[in-house]
Amino acid sequence: MASQLARVARMSRPLCPRQSCYNIRTFTSTSSVLARRAKVEEKLTADQALDLLDDEFDDDDTASAGHLMLRQQRQVLYYLRLIEHEMPKLVAYRKPFIPPTDATPLNVRSIDYAGEEHPASTKRVIVVSVDQLPLRDQAATHKIKLLAGPRWSPNPPADAGVSGLETWGNGFIKISCEDFPKPAMNLKWSSDALDRLVAEANDHSDTFRNIPIDMRHIYSKARKAKGGDHLRDRIHNRPSILDFPKEWLPARSIKHMS
């Protein structure tokens, strides 16, 4: 009978909270090992280090993923402070945009990896329109296309920085160099190579007038692109709505064409 009463008393006892079911301190305190570690001049012994490992976790810290998230938030706040306090100071270095003139026809392209060292960061590429070069006549224009070889293309290169609205004219010449350790040296070599091309094109001792322009590199590039431009002489001349007679087209298309 006594055992049954005891069982009933245990069943009628209210369930304790989850935290009270474990051996957890009721107040925050610092262990003696951590208190002794605060002294810089004191070194921990092997037994004290083992005591630190055996110290119970007080649920007062986050996991490794939480520390990574906090570090990301600190980085974001660091750059937000830079934007708020340092970016307005860049106004002092602002310069008005001056469009290039005929005296500066070169487009120079460089690659930068945000200050990191990379072999391609020393490379310099120049692109120039043939119509903007100081050539004497059409014979010099024809000759410089032959001398440039695969460096000449009738359309501007995709990474040349040339506007798509610019007239192609006699095409563009692209020269790049990455053989030297300094960017200025590579740019100087490319510029000197272009100067030699212009000087040789203006030399009328042999104009190569009877030699046609070599377009094999253009056809090879179109063939590798697999866009069908190399078929039926469609290089840079793909058929469009402008090729149809106007009487074949609906009124809406004629309105857009005009």
Side-chain angles (χ1 to χ4, degrees), residues 35-234:
R36 290 194 300 270
R37 193 175 61 178
K39 298 180 180 180
V40 181
E41 64 276 1
E42 183 180 355
K43 296 183 178 179
L44 294 178
T45 61
D47 296 336
Q48 292 174 349
L50 290 176
D51 293 339
L52 286 176
L53 296 177
D54 296 336
D55 194 13
E56 296 182 0
F57 182 64
D58 295 338
D59 292 331
D60 57 352
D61 198 0
T62 183
S64 299
H67 283 289
L68 291 176
M69 184 180 66
L70 292 175
R71 186 175 66 177
Q72 292 177 356
Q73 292 180 357
R74 285 192 293 268
Q75 291 178 352
V76 172
L77 289 175
Y78 169 75
Y79 287 108
L80 288 177
R81 293 189 186 98
L82 287 180
I83 294 173
E84 182 69 22
H85 302 289
E86 301 297 331
M87 292 291 287
K89 298 179 182 178
L90 298 178
V91 178
Y93 302 95
R94 184 169 54 189
K95 296 181 180 180
F97 173 73
I98 301 175
T101 60
D102 294 338
T104 57
L106 297 182
N107 295 326
V108 182
R109 184 175 64 89
S110 61
I111 303 176
D112 185 73
Y113 290 87
E116 297 183 4
E117 294 185 0
H118 194 277
S121 60
T122 59
K123 181 180 180 179
R124 290 297 180 267
V125 182
I126 62 173
V127 178
V128 61
S129 174
V130 176
D131 295 331
Q132 294 180 344
L133 293 176
L135 302 175
R136 293 182 180 178
D137 48 17
Q138 290 296 328
T141 301
H142 177 78
K143 186 176 181 179
I144 198 172
K145 292 179 183 180
L146 294 174
L147 295 176
R151 292 181 175 85
W152 172 84
S153 60
N155 62 321
D159 55 354
V162 180
S163 174
L165 302 177
E166 187 170 346
T167 305
W168 292 3
N170 288 306
F172 296 81
I173 294 177
K174 176 181 177 180
I175 302 176
S176 62
C177 181
E178 53 181 339
D179 297 335
F180 301 99
K182 298 297 182 181
M185 300 170 66
N186 292 318
L187 181 60
K188 182 65 167 58
W189 185 92
S190 302
S191 178
D192 292 345
L194 182 62
D195 292 340
R196 292 194 298 270
L197 279 176
V198 174
E200 187 65 27
N202 288 326
D203 185 6
H204 286 351
S205 59
D206 192 351
T207 59
F208 303 105
R209 185 175 302 174
N210 299 327
I211 301 177
I213 301 296
D214 189 4
M215 298 282 290
R216 287 179 296 177
H217 61 286
I218 305 298
Y219 282 92
S220 176
K221 183 178 180 180
R223 189 178 297 108
K224 291 179 181 179
K226 298 181 179 180
D229 289 346
H230 62 287
L231 301 174
R232 294 180 292 276
D233 196 21
R234 291 194 299 179

